[in-house]
Amino acid sequence: MRVLENITYDELRVSDYATFTKTLSDENLVLFAATNGEMPLSALSVDAAKKNVYDDTVGYGMWASSLISTAFDKVIPGPGSIYLDQNLSFKRKVELGDTLTVKLT
């Protein structure tokens, strides 16, 4: 079992960073679609998720943005952490099978 530890505000240094990497799989997409309310639970399938979550201009970008909050909670500063603001700019589409790395500094 992995133990999660947090870093207190006083322990953080300007040069501290952490990374979190995840690949967008069919399962991730279906779970994301179900949890964000884009599709009813009765319709859970990869095809339904692809139709309901995909936007032609940004792909599965909002799934990518969810990795940021996951990284805050699981990596640095850790459990119990929250952040108050996020500004996103999508430079490329995120597609099934893409592996993304979030770097928090």
Side-chain angles (χ1 to χ4, degrees):
M1 177 180 193
R2 183 174 167 229
V3 176
L4 294 177
E5 296 180 26
N6 67 335
I7 298 168
T8 66
Y9 184 79
D10 291 335
E11 293 173 318
L12 285 173
R13 301 292 172 245
V14 172
S15 61
D16 289 347
Y17 73 93
T19 59
F20 178 77
T21 301
K22 189 140 184 108
T23 300
L24 179 55
S25 67
D26 290 351
E27 182 182 66
N28 295 139
L29 180 61
V30 170
L31 292 171
F32 181 73
T35 58
N36 76 7
E38 289 293 322
M39 57 190 279
L41 295 177
S42 61
L44 287 180
S45 73
V46 174
D47 289 335
K50 286 178 183 178
K51 290 176 187 170
N52 285 297
V53 180
Y54 186 80
D55 178 305
D56 212 21
T57 58
V58 296
Y60 303 110
M62 292 315 291
W63 173 82
S65 72
S66 72
L67 297 182
I68 299 168
S69 60
T70 302
F72 266 96
D73 187 50
K74 290 188 173 205
V75 185
I76 189 174
S81 301
I82 60 169
Y83 65 104
L84 302 176
D85 192 31
Q86 177 171 294
N87 186 353
L88 301 171
S89 177
F90 298 102
K91 304 296 183 188
R92 290 188 223 149
K93 290 182 183 181
V94 176
E95 302 286 354
L96 283 170
D98 286 352
T99 300
L100 304 180
T101 299
V102 172
K103 181 178 180 181
L104 301 174
T105 305

